[in-house]
């Protein structure tokens, strides 16, 4: 039976795992930038610098930025597209939408779009293996050595057999066709 503290921690662990598997902070900044750029044209006339058809453009750019921020969260494979579109909309909002939401929306959009574009998925670390011998040649087990024979029978693994890197590299370099030599230069 688990204690109450462990049961309460489990949702936080799930949240942390979800958040670290996508460009969360960049998506959040992009969504906030879009909301801010969208909200300015809907405010009172005293606050607005530009009124008219650009108000519709402001709302559309803000909605696109919100959609790109949400797509960074829910479809991280489209992060590069979402980051580029967010930065472009934020830069366009500077001119078309009340100085890009009074510069705050543009700054949030550029920073958030850049963070979404630059995010990379976490790669699991490979366990460190010590390097093989100097030539990477397999070592033949000694017949009388108890350490050489496993106590349990070996099970076949799904991984292909390991080929030493240096030998395979030498072999592949030998197979590369060589270009014919250049003809000698004629004196001028």
């Amino acid at each position: 039976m688990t204690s109450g503290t462990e049961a309460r921690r489990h949702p936080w662990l799930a949240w942390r795992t979800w958040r670290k598997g996508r460009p969360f902070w960049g998506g959040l900044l992009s969504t906030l930038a879009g909301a801010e750029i969208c909200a300015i044209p809907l405010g009172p006339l005293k606050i607005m610098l530009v009124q008219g058809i650009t108000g519709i453009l402001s709302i559309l750019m803000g909605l696109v930025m919100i959609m790109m921020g949400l797509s960074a969260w829910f479809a991280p494979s489209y992060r590069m597209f979402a980051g580029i579109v967010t930065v472009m909309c934020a830069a366009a909002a500077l001119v078309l939408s009340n100085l890009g939401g009074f510069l705050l929306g543009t700054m949030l959009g550029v920073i958030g779009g850049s963070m979404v574009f630059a995010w990379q998925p976490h790669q699991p670390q490979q366990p460190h293996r010590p390097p093989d011998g100097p030539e990477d040649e397999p070592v033949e087990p000694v017949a009388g050595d108890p350490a050489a024979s496993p106590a349990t029978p070996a099970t076949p693994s799904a991984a292909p057999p390991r080929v030493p890197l240096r030998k395979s590299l030498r072999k592949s370099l030998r197979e590369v066709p060589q270009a014919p030599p250049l003809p000698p230069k004629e004196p001028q």
Side-chain angles (χ1 to χ4, degrees):
M1 183 175 196
T2 62
S3 67
T5 311
E6 290 177 15
R8 280 188 224 130
R9 250 189 259 169
H10 180 68
W12 288 111
L13 291 176
W15 163 252
R16 184 178 299 140
T17 304
W18 182 85
R19 182 176 48 93
K20 289 187 177 190
R22 57 206 74 249
F24 178 77
W25 296 109
L28 180 67
L29 290 178
S30 299
T31 304
L32 289 175
E36 204 272 336
I37 288 173
C38 249
I40 296 295
L42 301 175
L45 290 176
K46 293 178 183 178
I47 295 176
M48 289 234 238
L49 298 176
V50 179
Q51 182 66 23
I53 194 70
T54 59
I56 295 171
L57 287 175
S58 300
I59 292 171
L60 287 177
M61 280 190 294
L63 288 176
V64 167
M65 290 175 71
I66 290 170
M67 286 176 49
M68 293 299 111
L70 293 177
S71 73
W73 282 353
F74 298 113
S77 59
Y78 296 114
R79 68 186 181 277
M80 290 185 186
F81 174 74
I84 291 170
V85 170
T86 300
V87 170
M88 289 175 62
C89 282
L94 185 64
V95 177
L96 299 174
S97 173
N98 295 307
L99 293 175
F102 300 118
L103 296 179
L104 181 64
T106 295
M107 293 303 293
L108 287 175
V110 168
I111 293 169
S114 301
M115 288 173 72
V116 167
F117 183 80
W119 180 82
Q120 292 291 318
H122 177 68
Q123 299 293 330
Q125 291 182 349
Q126 298 293 330
H128 177 70
R129 287 192 320 204
D132 288 339
E135 292 295 318
D136 285 343
E137 296 178 301
V139 178
E140 295 294 323
V142 179
D145 190 5
S149 61
T152 59
T155 57
S157 63
R162 186 170 166 252
V163 178
L165 178 65
R166 292 182 189 160
K167 283 187 176 181
S168 63
L169 184 60
R170 276 188 242 136
K171 183 180 178 183
S172 64
L173 288 176
R174 279 188 229 132
E175 294 173 358
V176 174
Q178 299 295 325
L182 295 174
K185 247 184 159 181
E186 296 179 10
Q188 293 179 354

